[in-house]
Amino acid sequence: MTPSHRHNVLQQFERQVEREPNALAVASAHGQLTYRELDDLANDLAVQLRARGIGPEIVVGLCVPRSPATLVGALAIFKAGGAYLPVDPTEPEARLNFMFGDAGVSVVVTENSLKEKMSGANRQVIAVDEMGRLSECRASARPDAAPVAVMDPKTLAYVIYTSGSTGTPKGVEIAQESLSNLVAWHQSAFNVIPFDRASCVARVGFDAAVWEIWPYLTAGASLHIPDEEKLKDPEAFQSWLVAQGITISFVPTPMAERLLALRWPANNSLRMMLTGGDTLHVFPPSDLPFLLVNNYGPTECAVVATSGLVPPQRTENRLPSIGRPIANTRVYLLDDAMREVPPGTPGEIYIGGLGVARGYRNRPELTAERFLPNPFDGDSSLRFFKTGDCAQALPDGQLAFLGRFDEQIKIRGFRIEPNEIVAALNEHPAVSQSVVVARELAEGDNRLVAYFVPRAGRIATVSELRDFLGARLPAYMVPAMYVTLDTVPLTPNGKVDRASLPAPDASNLLGEDVFHAPRTEVEQAVAGILAPLLGVEKVDVEANFFSLGGHSLLGIQLISRVRDSLGVELSLRTVFEAPSVAELSAEIERLLCAKLESMSEEEVQRTLGLAEKAQP
């Protein structure tokens, strides 16, 4: 299979508009758009972009939440001939400004509510609100014809920034031919048809969102966007998938593992669940009514480089594989001398083919370091990408992922360069030197831990450091724990000796100035449940669960342990709305009181005496 360069993704979309203009293109809680309505809105915006000088190789910022506005903006930028830079509105303002400045963005497409945050020196902002505002746009005058964009296969399609090993994010440039190859492979591999209903769950600034949008809009299928609350709770998300009749869904690995543990109705419409972004630890149950496909690929290789169906039977002593290379892609496993390793021998993954990015924006030295001439291909102009990942070839030709060769970290599907966190943490006046690593506190539970040497005469609390980093980094990059050191351990050659960093414990963990101890027996019980989950000795009853390193998956475990210990059924929404021990305990006591009222005295004495004692 070879992607058709005569028809890029924009041309394929416009053909769908001509064929079925009234077919549903996108739906969310705020409303929906047909292919014709989506095309009209994109044409309107494209005219405005053209008037502002947007054309080939010019990057336009796209900063909107997951919504139909995402599709309108991306299509409009393509129609104007430009490339889009998708960024998450929740990113700290300093990081947004760096990405816009580094990419040379002069125009940003956003929403009215974000207009002030997006404005900057020499930057124009075009506000495209969600469904309400988009509906009003339909009444505006239509251009007589859509802008005619000239898209050479080598033209820049989009730029996505990833965590940077030197302390600053780096922008990955993906060409139209790479995007077209991804789309063509996806549609063929998963038999995408106009009747498909696909979910759209990835945040705008991650490359998975690229994968969720273009294979379906170019095939005449429909995209369906759940609200954020449903994505926090596996059972709620499962109910949404079933109710919406979703047929294909990409789900990040941690959520996919939770979904696989649920019972699925046999009559649901889902035929394919695609996952990726982290190591998959589980195999699907034999009675799962849909197929599970595991995928692997760095941002530098147009989202997906390898893909494979995960069988229901567990392979002894092996995790699910990452499959085989996708169409027009070649994977090499090489040793330190860049020689191919024998089958079954671990080697570093190098990726060649149409998916390989053009390089890093404005980073020629880093591009030359990671995008190398491919010595295994006769064409000296072809390059392949040095991933830093390790894998081995299995007897059946599939690849087993073995982890990272370098210091890059993946936690809950997020790709993180620790040096970017270190660079931010070292700016704090109380920090002299720091190191950030990932530690597995329990099986499958990795946390970011920051080690630092305090600056003489300066004192910092945990909340102070978290707030400082939270203003500079995305939430997933803010460490859960902070360990103080006298000095950073070094190897004989002067590098940081990460193996010698002490395990976090009560003797070295940084704490708050004031500790709020549990006051009731319910608070003691909840604190006793939370401490081992969070990997700490004790929990301040006023501290926020999420600030301490908690997340939705740990929240689910918390709910399960509260149910087992106290006989109370909580929802994940409750954990988000009452995230401290004190708040959660108050809600548990309220539920206990309601439960006690319906029980006999004998049942109360036998099962829930604790609640009675805990009442003030």
Side-chain angles (χ1 to χ4, degrees), residues 36-292:
R36 173 60 68 197
E37 290 167 339
L38 178 57
D39 190 53
D40 285 345
L41 291 167
N43 286 339
D44 287 348
L45 180 55
V47 170
Q48 296 185 53
L49 292 171
R50 277 288 184 88
R52 288 166 170 77
I54 302 304
E57 297 299 318
I58 297 178
V59 179
V60 179
L62 178 59
C63 187
V64 290
R66 283 182 308 104
S67 69
T70 309
L71 313 187
V72 173
L75 281 166
I77 292 165
F78 278 172
K79 285 173 178 283
Y84 69 100
L85 164 59
V87 293
D88 193 318
T90 63
E91 293 270 21
E93 192 168 346
R95 200 168 192 261
L96 288 173
N97 286 331
F98 171 82
M99 290 187 286
F100 289 153
D102 186 65
V105 169
S106 61
V107 178
V108 178
V109 174
T110 187
E111 293 182 345
N112 278 324
S113 62
L114 297 166
K115 197 169 182 178
E116 185 176 345
K117 185 178 181 180
M118 295 303 107
S119 60
N122 302 317
R123 255 197 328 260
Q124 302 177 65
V125 178
I126 303 176
V128 180
D129 282 352
E130 289 194 76
M131 293 307 301
R133 176 75 176 121
L134 291 176
S135 298
E136 294 173 23
C137 289
R138 295 179 198 158
S140 64
R142 299 284 171 230
D144 294 334
V148 179
V150 178
M151 283 189 174
D152 182 270
K154 304 293 184 183
T155 299
L156 186 64
Y158 64 85
V159 178
I160 286 186
Y161 276 77
T162 67
S163 185
S165 59
T166 59
T168 56
K170 53 185 184 291
V172 178
E173 296 186 330
I174 299 293
Q176 286 288 342
E177 66 177 351
S178 298
L179 177 57
S180 294
N181 187 67
L182 174 72
V183 167
W185 161 76
H186 183 103
Q187 291 175 346
S188 174
F190 306 126
N191 192 29
V192 180
I193 58 176
F195 294 106
D196 273 316
R197 296 166 66 87
S199 65
C200 193
V201 305
R203 289 185 178 272
V204 176
F206 293 101
D207 64 345
V210 171
W211 191 27
E212 287 186 306
I213 293 172
W214 299 112
Y216 304 107
L217 284 186
T218 54
S222 58
L223 289 169
H224 299 261
I225 306 174
D227 58 54
E228 288 293 328
E229 287 301 313
K230 290 182 174 61
L231 297 177
K232 296 174 182 175
D233 185 340
E235 292 183 348
F237 183 52
Q238 180 195 44
S239 297
W240 179 85
L241 289 169
V242 174
Q244 294 294 319
I246 302 301
T247 59
I248 306 180
S249 179
F250 164 76
V251 186
T253 306
M255 175 61 89
E257 293 181 345
R258 294 291 176 179
L259 290 171
L260 292 174
L262 301 178
R263 293 189 65 84
W264 285 81
N267 62 347
N268 83 89
S269 300
L270 193 64
R271 62 181 179 85
M272 196 83 65
M273 179 180 288
L274 314 177
T275 191
D278 214 333
T279 302
L280 183 64
H281 296 93
V282 301
F283 287 79
S286 58
D287 60 350
L288 196 70
F290 52 82
L291 299 176
L292 176 68

Side-chain angles (χ1 to χ4, degrees), residues 492-573:
N493 61 3
K495 294 185 178 181
V496 175
D497 186 1
R498 287 171 172 76
S500 297
L501 291 170
D505 60 32
S507 68
N508 56 30
L509 275 171
L510 184 67
E512 298 292 353
D513 290 335
V514 179
F515 178 77
H516 303 91
R519 295 154 294 198
T520 70
E521 292 199 39
V522 173
E523 286 186 353
Q524 288 177 5
V526 174
I529 291 170
L530 268 179
L533 274 179
L534 295 170
V536 296
E537 185 175 334
K538 57 184 180 179
V539 178
D540 188 307
V541 297
E542 302 295 337
N544 187 294
F545 168 70
F546 299 100
S547 295
L548 294 173
H551 48 79
S552 59
L553 298 181
L554 279 182
I556 293 168
Q557 294 182 48
L558 170 63
I559 290 168
S560 175
R561 296 187 187 188
V562 167
R563 182 196 307 120
D564 294 342
S565 299
L566 301 177
V568 172
E569 189 70 45
L570 299 174
S571 68
L572 195 59
R573 179 189 290 271

